[in-house]
Amino acid sequence: MLDIDITEQFSRALRNSRKVAVLTGAGVSAESGVPTFRGEDGFWRNINPMELATLEAFSRDPETVWEWYLHRRDTIRTIKPNPGHYALAEMAELYNDFTLITQNIDNLHRLAGSDNIYELHGNIHRNRCMDCDHTDYTESFSKLPPPCPKCGGRFRPNVVWFGEMLPHETIDRAMKAAYQAELFFTIGTSGVVQPAASLPLIAKQNGALVVEINLEPSEISHICDIKYHGKSGEVLPAILRKIRELKIMSIQEK
Ligand code: BV8
Ligand code: ZN
């Protein structure tokens, strides 16, 4: 069981923060077996995911893009949340105001019991009609995107592709949570993709203590006050244990 060093500043923030926000990326699901986006394991049939996750690729070759999502749905159906997902779900119970913002579309935070989740880039299990906006959880296994059950239009995965706007309400609420946070965690993200990667900076600029948990330094490490370079599935449970100890100490001191 990993034991981690906690600075006095971090322990004060863990004990006293009322508003906590968390941004997660593909790295938080890596220990569940979900390939990350920019790691070696992220490629599919030697195609870079960045080239597949676009409307242009889907319009040009719907079959290949649709098949990539079917392949990822199949992978995700077989995997489970890891201790990092569960630790975040339990951490949320220990704070009045805890917001979980994820770039991931794999639904693992919800499976681990988290709620109040902002899925910035959508959810892989949902489809959306490009003509009438109807969305549903069609578990379609057809080789080609199925027609929309409502209007017969063109169905697509209900995720945000590169070059597409994020759902307004979701990103607005995520930015508000970052703005108001006293303690902000950025976990398992390379900090490359915008506007998600700007959230830690918004938190920092508005006075939050920003803590990074990532396997290696990222594009946003330089703005983080505290950095744990390790596996989120090990570091998060260790932080959860510290929070519990601190909360018990606070009760005993009263
Ligand atoms: C938008 C859904 C307005 C699909 C995804 C030029 C400059 C700046 C920005 C842009 C630009 N040109 C275009 C843009 C905007 C673009 C962008 O940011 N591009 C980047 C690449 C430069 N953004 C957009 O297009 C967004 N829309 O901005 O609209 C607009 C429009 C046009 C032009 C300008 C503006 C929409 C972005 C959403 C794209 N969709 N996903 C799908 O998944 O199929 S993003 C995709 O990347 C995934 O969601 C993924 O989560 C996300 C971010 O990647 P990470 O999560 O960080 O994953 P990554 O693999 O990179 O890193 C994992 C990290 O974990 C690593 O650091 C690794 O070390 C670590 N790790 C690994 N294992 C562990 C671990 N850490 C801890 N524990 C472990 N065990
Ligand atoms: Zn439709």
Side-chain angles (χ1 to χ4, degrees):
M1 199 176 337
L2 180 73
D3 194 18
I4 53 168
D5 292 331
I6 295 260
T7 63
E8 182 43 40
Q9 184 191 30
F10 190 20
S11 105
R12 258 199 321 277
L14 287 172
R15 187 169 30 194
N16 305 332
S17 297
R18 277 162 296 104
K19 290 178 183 279
V20 178
V22 177
L23 171 70
T24 65
V28 84
S29 299
E31 291 157 82
S32 296
V34 183
T36 61
F37 243 67
R38 283 163 196 81
E40 274 314 300
D41 57 357
F43 282 62
W44 181 68
R45 291 194 189 150
N46 290 325
I47 311 174
N48 181 339
M50 309 282 285
E51 289 154 25
L52 286 166
T54 67
L55 178 61
E56 192 270 330
F58 184 69
S59 309
R60 189 185 63 241
D61 183 357
E63 190 166 336
T64 300
V65 175
W66 182 255
E67 216 185 319
W68 179 48
Y69 282 92
L70 288 185
H71 164 75
R72 289 169 71 192
R73 280 177 181 162
D74 287 347
T75 309
I76 284 168
R77 235 189 299 279
T78 61
I79 58 171
K80 302 225 176 330
N82 65 60
H85 293 106
Y86 289 114
L88 286 171
E90 292 179 48
M91 269 171 74
E93 305 299 316
L94 301 170
Y95 290 97
N96 303 354
D97 183 334
F98 186 97
T99 305
L100 179 57
I101 306 158
T102 188
Q103 300 173 84
N104 301 339
I105 64 173
D106 58 29
N107 210 43
L108 288 179
H109 285 303
R110 190 165 282 107
L111 286 180
S114 288
D115 51 22
N116 191 24
I117 308 170
Y118 294 144
E119 291 177 313
L120 296 180
H121 300 154
N123 184 306
I124 196 164
H125 296 301
R126 288 187 76 87
N127 296 309
R128 172 164 58 83
C129 174
M130 295 168 76
D131 299 296
C132 76
D133 250 1
H134 169 70
T135 62
D136 71 14
Y137 280 94
T138 310
E139 281 304 313
S140 156
F141 302 98
S142 58
K143 290 279 278 175
L144 265 173
C148 165
K150 266 189 89 180
C151 78
R154 294 162 302 160
F155 237 25
R156 56 165 280 178
N158 192 24
V159 297
V160 179
W161 281 327
F162 289 102
E164 294 188 323
M165 301 302 280
L166 277 62
H168 288 293
E169 202 174 318
T170 306
I171 188 64
D172 290 351
R173 289 185 176 178
M175 287 192 166
K176 188 173 167 213
Y179 183 85
Q180 293 179 337
E182 296 161 270
L183 177 58
F184 191 97
F185 290 92
T186 171
I187 306 169
T189 181
S190 57
V192 167
V193 173
Q194 294 296 349
S198 59
L199 293 170
L201 187 59
I202 291 171
K204 172 92 179 169
Q205 287 169 337
N206 288 284
L209 184 74
V210 180
V211 179
E212 178 174 57
I213 300 166
N214 205 58
L215 205 55
E216 61 203 349
S218 72
E219 296 287 310
I220 45 176
S221 295
H222 64 285
I223 64 147
C224 298
D225 301 291
I226 295 167
K227 288 158 263 210
Y228 291 100
H229 288 153
K231 291 185 172 181
S232 49
E234 294 168 3
V235 174
L236 280 167
I239 289 177
L240 178 64
R241 284 191 295 276
K242 291 286 182 193
I243 298 171
R244 287 229 168 86
E245 284 165 24
L246 290 166
K247 296 272 180 191
I248 291 168
M249 277 161 56
S250 304
I251 295 166
Q252 286 163 347
E253 283 161 6
K254 279 183 183 143

